[in-house]
Amino acid sequence: MRDVLTELARRVEAGETVGVGTVVATFSSAPRPPGASMLVGADQAVVGSVSGGCVEGAVYELAREVVAARVPVLQRYGVSDDDAFAVGLTCGGIIDVYVEAIDRDGFPELPDVVETVRAEEPVAVATVVEHPEWVGKRLVVWPDRVAGDVPSARARDAITDDARGLLATGRSGTLHYGPDGQRRGEGMAVFVNSFEPPPRMLVFGAIDFAAAMARLGAFLGYRVTVCDARPVFATRSRFPEADEVVVDWPHRYLAGQADAGKVDERTVVAVLTHDPKFDVPLLEVALRLKLGYVGAMGSRRTHDDRMRRLREAGLTEGELAGLASPIGLDLGARTPEETAVSIAAEIIALRWGGGGERLTRTEGAIHRAG
């Protein structure tokens, strides 16, 4: 829902009732992940997507019906349906879409959710999507408080605990309980949509490759920081797509961010300096942290010299194994933009377990389980 949240809040604040379809479960080769949402406004405008184009038409019509009837619907689309081909989900996947009507009275916590997301603080919205009586009830769960209208105290406690667990890992998903929130049993399904701060991309070295990397990182949804010790190069005008440009020694900056708890296992680090006086002290810090990715640019000769220096600095073979160097996948890249794509491709492959091969040469499912 993050993609449509601002528009949703604007319309609801204006007094509009909005139809919203949200992917709450996916199976097989589904095109979009849980949490993907599509908004249908009173003016028939559409914002967002639940399937990349496959079933948008069907969800659009269902959203209009739900707004008119004020009754939410959980609908499955996919190969298990007789009309799967008719609605367009021909990729072989299955998606469950929860469609609801949202207005100011039904979701009074929406402004607080939007404010929290804008402040880049974590919050989860837990919505009952299956239950004999409570479909549409929801909780808004912050790390330190909870609001909402789930009637049962036991269900409220169970959902709150589990939603915080999903929020801590940045995952959205459907939870299952007995009808009163029992840990064992069936009868209630709750979709938890996690909104946590975007992952960080730290790009070290204020060079042309860094500018391309900042642009692509921003496009992929990262909060991008470019850092360099040289103020003449680390300027806002050279890196307009970065969220921040920092003048500091790279190793000192990263160590300070780690001490402040501002990096985590989703953080990616791209070391583009290929200068030992910058990158060796930086990598000493980076490779001892639990980060999502650490890559360093340079030729194979530079790589061999860098590894020797890092071993002399005391890094273990296990720590060195976490270094992606030379950086990126073998795409034959030449330009800064092409190189940025090769680095991003490596980051994506490592995140989802991809092999970086051409799909024409592989078999089996295209999308791996998250």
Side-chain angles (χ1 to χ4, degrees), residues 299-348:
S299 66
R300 296 196 184 279
R301 178 179 298 178
T302 298
H303 166 76
D304 291 341
D305 178 68
R306 180 189 294 133
M307 294 292 279
R308 177 184 61 78
R309 292 172 183 267
L310 290 171
R311 289 188 178 96
E312 290 175 353
L315 271 74
T316 67
E317 293 303 314
E319 291 167 336
L320 292 173
L323 177 60
S325 174
I327 198 170
L329 296 185
D330 181 11
L331 304 183
R334 292 291 187 273
T335 68
E337 290 75 17
E338 290 173 346
T339 301
V341 169
S342 78
I343 296 170
E346 183 174 44
I347 292 169
I348 294 168

Side-chain angles (χ1 to χ4, degrees), residues 68-82:
R70 292 296 200 276
V71 178
V73 174
L74 180 63
Q75 181 67 50
R76 174 164 291 183
Y77 299 97
V79 294
S80 62
D81 298 333
D82 292 337

Side-chain angles (χ1 to χ4, degrees), residues 151-171:
S152 162
R154 176 157 71 174
R156 184 184 180 97
D157 290 344
I159 294 168
T160 298
D161 287 346
D162 293 342
R164 284 177 176 153
L166 286 174
L167 186 59
T169 60
R171 294 185 296 119

Side-chain angles (χ1 to χ4, degrees), residues 203-211 227-230 233 249-250 269-283 295-307 309-310 323-327 334 336 339 343:
V203 181
F204 294 98
I207 61 175
D208 51 356
F209 289 92
C227 176
D228 197 295
R230 302 165 296 179
F233 295 114
W249 280 86
V269 169
V271 181
L272 309 184
T273 54
H274 50 80
D275 183 334
K277 69 175 178 291
F278 291 118
D279 60 17
V280 171
L282 171 59
L283 290 171
M297 178 179 282
S299 66
R300 296 196 184 279
R301 178 179 298 178
T302 298
H303 166 76
D304 291 341
D305 178 68
R306 180 189 294 133
M307 294 292 279
R309 292 172 183 267
L310 290 171
L323 177 60
S325 174
I327 198 170
R334 292 291 187 273
T339 301
I343 296 170

Side-chain angles (χ1 to χ4, degrees), residues 201 212-224 344:
M201 174 179 287
M213 198 69 240
R215 288 195 295 273
L216 191 52
F219 175 74
L220 292 175
Y222 286 93
R223 179 175 178 83
V224 180

Side-chain angles (χ1 to χ4, degrees), residues 169-253:
T169 60
R171 294 185 296 119
S172 297
T174 300
L175 306 172
H176 296 275
Y177 306 94
D180 193 45
Q182 301 94 328
R183 292 290 184 177
R184 295 183 179 182
E186 299 178 349
M188 178 164 60
V190 179
F191 178 68
V192 178
N193 205 339
S194 294
F195 300 92
E196 63 171 352
R200 298 190 66 189
M201 174 179 287
L202 307 181
V203 181
F204 294 98
I207 61 175
D208 51 356
F209 289 92
M213 198 69 240
R215 288 195 295 273
L216 191 52
F219 175 74
L220 292 175
Y222 286 93
R223 179 175 178 83
V224 180
T225 298
V226 175
C227 176
D228 197 295
R230 302 165 296 179
V232 67
F233 295 114
T235 63
R236 168 59 61 184
S237 62
R238 296 188 68 227
F239 302 98
E241 288 85 3
D243 293 282
E244 57 183 350
V245 179
V246 175
V247 178
D248 199 352
W249 280 86
H251 70 283
R252 185 170 60 192
Y253 174 75

Side-chain angles (χ1 to χ4, degrees), residues 88-113:
L89 194 64
T90 56
C91 61
I94 302 172
I95 60 174
D96 286 347
V97 180
Y98 176 72
V99 183
E100 60 184 325
I102 295 180
D103 59 21
R104 192 183 300 165
D105 293 335
F107 196 173
E109 304 86 2
L110 180 59
D112 290 338
V113 172

